[in-house]
Each structure stands twice: as C-alpha cells, then as structure tokens.
Amino acid sequence: MDATSFAASFKSRVTDVFNDAAPRYDRGVEFFTPMGARLVELVAPRAGGRVLDIGCGRGACLVPAATAVGAAGRVVGIDIAPAMIDEARRETERLGLGNVELMVMDAEDDPLFAPGSFDYVIGSYSIIFLPDSFAALTRFGKLLASGGKLAFTSPVFSYDTFPFLPEPFGQIITDEFLQHIEEEWQPHRIVERYYSWLVDREMLSATLGAAGFDNVVILDEPVQMVSGSGHDWVAWSRTQGMRLLWNNLPEQPRRELEKSIITELDSRRTADGLITVETPVRYVLADVASHRRTGTGKTR
Ligand SMILES: C[S@@+](CC[C@H](N)C(=O)[O-])C[C@H]1O[C@@H](n2cnc3c(N)ncnc32)[C@H](O)[C@@H]1O
C-alpha cells in the first residue's frame, strides 16, 4: 500500500477503534486519566488561557485544563471519533464546565483555526495517531499566540520491545502472535513508519525545532496502572488503542494471548491483591519559537 492509502486506512481504523472503545474508555483500570492530569499539571495553564486539546477523547486533559483556566478561559477539544466527543460532552456537562467547546474534527485538517487563536496546544497520546505528525505540529505552532506552548505525551517508543507497552508484555506478545497480523500493521512497522522521530530524544527535539518550537523539555515518567486482576487489565486494554491489536488477531491466537497476559499479570499480584503495571510515559513541552510567533493573538 502506498503511504497515502495506508494513512487513510490507518486513520479510518483508528477512528473505528475509538468510536467502539468510547463508552468504556479508560474505565476499570486508569492510565490516560492520571497521565492527562499530569500533563496539565506540567503545563500549568494560567487563568484565562485559551487551550486547544488535540484528540481530547473523553477529557483526560480537557477537564483539568478547563478547571485550570477557569471561567475567563476557554478550552476547545477536538476529536476525530464522534463517540469520544459524545462522552466528553456528557462529562463536561456533568461537571458543569461552561468554558469548554467540543468538536468532531480531524487534527490534520488545514486550517483548523485562525492563526494565534490559542495560548496552549496540548494532546495526550493523540499526536501519535496523526500520520503526518510533522506537518500537523508545524500547523499547531501557527495556532499559538506569542509565548504559546505545545505539550503532548507519547509512549516511550523503542524498536526492540513491543512498542506500546512495558515488560512483561514484550515477552508475552511474541512473534507467535504477531505473525497473524498483516505485515504493514505489525507494531514495529508502524513505529518505523510514523514514530521514528519519537524514539530518540535528540531527533524529537530536532523535529520540534524544525516544526517551529524551541525550549523543548522531554520528561520520561511512569504512570502506575493498578488493576484488580489480569482479566480487568485485558478488558481495559480493549478500551483504548490496543484494541487495534486485538481486532487484528484471529480468534484462536487472540484467546491464547489473553490467557497468557492474564496468567502473567495474576502471578504478579501483591499482598494487597492488586497488580501494578508501571508504564513509562514521555511528556514533551515546548515553546513556540520567537521567529514563528504570529503576534496575532494576545497572550493573557
Ligand atoms: C489514546 S486516545 C487519547 C485521548 C485523550 N487525549 C486522553 O488522554 O484520554 C487518542 C485519541 O485521539 C483521537 N484521534 C486519533 N486520530 C485523530 C485525528 N486525526 N484527529 C483528531 N483526533 C484523533 C482518537 O479518536 C482518540 O480519542
């Protein structure tokens, strides 16, 4: 498949996965929720600030960002999956957050908004779903007003282990299972195709520099995922992007993989009866570079 057709196919599968996952997204076990809160804590949006949340999902960043900027601020959440926007809308209405606007939108649309419309562009575990992330990041820089900040999270990618998860998953999700997945959809192929710029810290800084940012800060910090059983963890893994892997496996290997993960995780239960999976997360923060500042938006 050529790059354009693969990107279209990737985007359509990703949208389907998150539409299906939305009602249970990050429930039972929590990973995205604490990660989103931590990202917003690192960004520390000021009261009255204008925030764009790319791939906002159910609101892991959106909700803490809306709280931080307060009634004088504004948070716009966009997501390609309508079911995610429905969930985020339910959540923000439940919390009575009147400073949030939600839109079903592809973050690769151009233009997304007027230049200089935001003080912060944030995106937790969402930039990784953009096939042309460099072009998207370059456009995000233009959406930022003078002094604006970009902040996002990603997995700590690696070429030599299963790319999205920490051990013990690299040892469990072996080639025996991966052989059932089409060559182009193999996790390591996706990393090579889309995430090589995120694997290496220097390349990440250089990419952001070329996209119009400076003062890049990269912080690798784990999120502790706590689950009551291996079964709960597997159920949770279907509520997020790993659903792509489950969807791509035929029934027999899928059942075997589920069993192997459940057995391994259950064997790691500690005295309190809980299982903790420590998952490294890469937090990336950067300022829009002075020569790229639009100057059209006033920073409050
Ligand atoms: C792993 S979830 C993260 C959601 C949220 N940021 C969080 O931390 O919980 C990735 C989100 O990105 C969205 N997404 C994927 N591709 C997108 C695109 N091209 N434009 C906008 N959103 C996209 C998905 O629908 C999904 O909601």
Side-chain angles (χ1 to χ4, degrees):
M1 223 187 286
D2 66 43
T4 310
S5 315
F6 185 81
S9 177
F10 178 79
K11 196 170 278 202
S12 134
R13 284 196 199 189
V14 165
T15 307
D16 290 350
V17 155
F18 285 107
N19 270 329
D20 291 348
R24 298 282 322 141
Y25 178 76
D26 210 30
R27 302 211 174 136
V29 179
E30 285 194 339
F31 171 65
F32 298 96
T33 309
M35 174 173 55
R38 176 68 177 138
L39 182 66
V40 173
E41 182 181 66
L42 290 169
V43 179
R46 68 185 163 280
R50 300 161 297 167
V51 182
L52 173 63
D53 185 2
I54 300 291
C56 62
R58 264 184 55 206
C61 296
L62 189 89
V63 169
T67 306
V69 298
R74 174 175 169 246
V75 182
V76 177
I78 65 166
D79 202 288
I80 201 167
M84 280 297 206
I85 290 293
D86 289 345
E87 292 296 325
R89 186 162 290 126
R90 249 191 291 281
E91 185 65 3
T92 51
E93 281 173 4
R94 187 181 72 76
L95 295 169
L97 294 170
N99 57 352
V100 172
E101 212 177 314
L102 293 159
M103 301 176 195
V104 176
M105 203 183 271
D106 183 345
E108 291 196 305
D109 282 354
D110 183 22
L112 272 180
F113 298 96
S117 305
F118 296 96
D119 305 306
Y120 308 91
V121 174
I122 61 177
S124 193
Y125 254 60
S126 51
I127 308 292
I128 56 169
F129 292 106
L130 307 182
D132 193 350
S133 44
F134 178 73
L137 288 166
T138 306
R139 289 193 297 270
F140 297 160
K142 293 178 183 159
L143 299 180
L144 284 166
S146 178
K149 287 186 186 305
L150 170 77
F152 63 91
T153 65
S154 88
V156 180
F157 284 115
S158 145
Y159 291 121
D160 54 1
T161 58
F162 186 80
F164 308 94
L165 295 167
E167 293 307 338
F169 300 100
Q171 290 147 16
I172 302 172
I173 309 174
T174 57
D175 289 347
E176 184 194 333
F177 297 107
L178 295 176
Q179 65 171 332
H180 298 282
I181 296 175
E182 299 153 75
E183 174 58 20
E184 286 194 300
W185 290 90
Q186 290 286 336
H188 75 276
R189 287 291 308 275
I190 307 267
V191 174
E192 282 160 11
R193 191 190 273 275
Y194 290 146
Y195 308 138
S196 54
W197 66 283
L198 278 164
V199 173
D200 177 77
R201 296 168 75 99
E202 273 167 28
M203 211 197 290
L204 170 49
S205 288
T207 303
L208 287 175
F213 298 92
D214 59 21
N215 300 326
V216 178
V217 174
I218 302 168
L219 181 67
D220 291 348
E221 208 180 82
V223 168
Q224 312 283 344
M225 268 191 279
V226 180
S227 84
S229 69
H231 179 273
D232 287 355
W233 192 93
V234 168
W236 167 83
S237 74
R238 287 216 169 74
T239 77
Q240 41 92 356
M242 195 173 159
R243 203 178 170 94
L244 267 176
L245 172 69
W246 293 118
N247 286 356
N248 277 333
L249 281 178
E251 190 177 342
Q252 173 74 6
R254 195 177 67 227
R255 283 179 192 277
E256 281 170 29
L257 181 57
E258 274 175 8
K259 205 168 139 207
S260 302
I261 294 178
I262 290 170
T263 306
E264 174 63 29
L265 290 183
D266 282 344
S267 77
R268 292 172 173 238
R269 219 184 270 264
T270 44
D272 55 8
L274 298 172
I275 302 156
T276 302
V277 178
E278 187 174 283
T279 302
V281 170
R282 180 154 287 177
Y283 296 86
V284 182
L285 294 98
D287 296 336
V288 65
S290 45
H291 66 282
R292 294 293 294 274
R293 283 175 190 150
T294 62
T296 54
K298 194 168 180 304
T299 308
R300 284 179 278 185

